[in-house]
Amino acid sequence: MEKLIITAAICGAEVTKEHNPNVPYTIEECVREAGLAYEAGASIIHLHVRTDDGTPTQDKNRFKMVMDAIHAKYPDVIIQPSTGGAVGMTNDERLQPTELNPEMATLDCGTLNFGGDEIFENTENTIKYFGERMIERGIKPELEVFDKSMIDMALRLNKKGFIKSPMHFDFVMGVNGGISGTLRDFVFLRESIPADATYTVAGVGRFEFPLATAAIIDGGHVRVGFEDNTMISRGIVAESNGQLVEKVVRMAKELGREIATPAEAREILGLKRK
């Protein structure tokens, strides 16, 4: 079985210091949280950026400052910027971090009702546009899927040449408007991807660690972090992203999975370091 790749989603675009005071906003805070996650065993840092007051931004200059600062201290870590941005942003606004030519970036594969009047819009043409950009720049897309239909969209666009094989999926489970975080639905998604594809599971809230366990046993990979869950256990706020990663490492060791280094993660995912 392949070694386990752990991704740390250190801040997201929605979670705030009101949810957990350790959620990073500033460059220094992002470096701290990325470092704690990396030192605990994360190979990939899934990155959103904020202004110092916590406002989400896709500004490429802010991404560059944060990415450069992380790589200055942790040069081998894989940084995976988000192109999800925040509800209401334009496609080109969301795509700004791809101008920095990262090894990986996220590509959301469908539209989602986040709740209330918030709609996270990803039309078929948007997905094609993002896919073409990533192919042009040699960026490996992590295909963010919140439901089975989004896997179907990715498979269809793969056949049309907008997404390259082998594909790497991120099953985001337990989000309002998306698929639930049950083991039944994990198996449904897992059995819906190609045999040569890899996947990571991001369980939201209380689903984080049960789904991490399922992925570890199945041979998949795991995402944890403040973007998805700010608690280390029920009612107990996590001290850092590193503490969440440490818990996954302990679980993996109990279940017989070794942890991948960034170099090993690159080999598993077919990344070419730039």
Side-chain angles (χ1 to χ4, degrees):
M1 191 176 287
E2 288 177 335
K3 291 187 178 181
L4 175 69
I5 301 170
I6 301 176
T7 299
I10 61 173
C11 61
E14 306 293 336
V15 68
T16 69
K17 289 183 182 293
E18 292 180 359
H19 298 106
N20 184 321
N22 300 307
V23 171
Y25 294 168
T26 69
I27 295 171
E28 294 76 15
E29 289 171 343
C30 287
V31 172
R32 178 199 73 211
E33 288 301 310
L36 290 169
Y38 167 79
E39 289 168 355
S43 295
I44 301 174
I45 303 299
H46 170 72
L47 187 65
H48 290 254
V49 296
R50 315 281 193 96
T51 60
D52 285 353
D53 67 0
T55 303
T57 179
Q58 287 295 104
D59 180 67
K60 69 177 180 182
N61 295 316
R62 183 68 167 187
F63 266 100
K64 187 176 190 306
M65 287 188 287
V66 177
M67 291 167 69
D68 286 350
I70 293 171
H71 272 150
K73 293 193 71 173
Y74 310 99
D76 66 332
V77 74
I78 300 163
I79 300 179
Q80 178 198 89
S82 171
T83 65
V87 172
M89 290 183 177
T90 67
N91 289 343
D92 287 331
E93 190 176 3
R94 289 168 55 187
L95 278 169
Q96 285 184 80
T98 63
E99 296 175 32
L100 303 173
N101 294 321
E103 297 172 82
M104 298 185 77
T106 60
L107 197 171
D108 293 280
C109 292
T111 295
L112 192 72
N113 291 320
F114 269 159
D117 293 321
E118 286 198 352
I119 299 176
F120 181 38
E121 185 176 299
N122 293 282
T123 67
E124 182 175 3
N125 286 338
T126 292
I127 301 164
K128 289 178 178 178
Y129 185 47
F130 281 42
E132 287 177 321
R133 170 68 66 86
M134 294 187 195
I135 289 171
E136 287 169 5
R137 293 184 173 267
I139 299 167
K140 174 88 172 186
E142 179 173 81
L143 305 169
E144 305 280 310
V145 295
F146 297 80
D147 212 337
K148 166 66 164 59
S149 61
M150 298 188 191
I151 293 177
D152 296 337
M153 174 66 79
L155 297 178
R156 186 161 61 250
L157 296 186
N158 168 252
K159 289 180 180 178
K160 292 182 176 182
F162 294 97
I163 298 169
K164 284 189 172 182
S165 295
M167 292 181 279
H168 177 66
F169 291 87
D170 180 29
F171 304 154
V172 185
M173 303 183 68
V175 173
N176 187 57
I179 201 165
S180 79
T182 64
L183 184 59
R184 176 202 64 182
D185 287 344
F186 164 74
V187 173
F188 184 40
L189 297 185
R190 172 67 183 91
E191 293 182 347
S192 300
I193 64 174
D196 66 345
T198 51
Y199 74 89
T200 290
V201 173
V204 174
R206 63 188 176 87
F207 298 113
E208 185 167 72
F209 294 112
L211 287 172
T213 303
I216 292 167
I217 293 169
D218 183 64
H221 306 288
V222 173
R223 182 177 108 173
V224 293
F226 286 160
E227 177 172 357
D228 306 322
N229 169 46
T230 60
M231 302 289 182
I232 191 64
S233 58
R234 185 171 182 174
I236 301 176
V237 173
E239 296 174 2
S240 68
N241 282 278
Q243 190 179 30
L244 297 172
V245 173
E246 286 170 357
K247 184 169 180 176
V248 173
V249 170
R250 290 195 302 271
M251 292 162 52
K253 287 181 178 178
E254 288 291 332
L255 293 167
R257 286 284 299 274
E258 294 184 62
I259 308 302
T261 65
E264 290 167 335
R266 287 184 174 94
E267 184 175 353
I268 291 167
L269 297 173
L271 300 181
K272 294 181 180 179
R273 192 166 188 182
K274 300 179 180 180

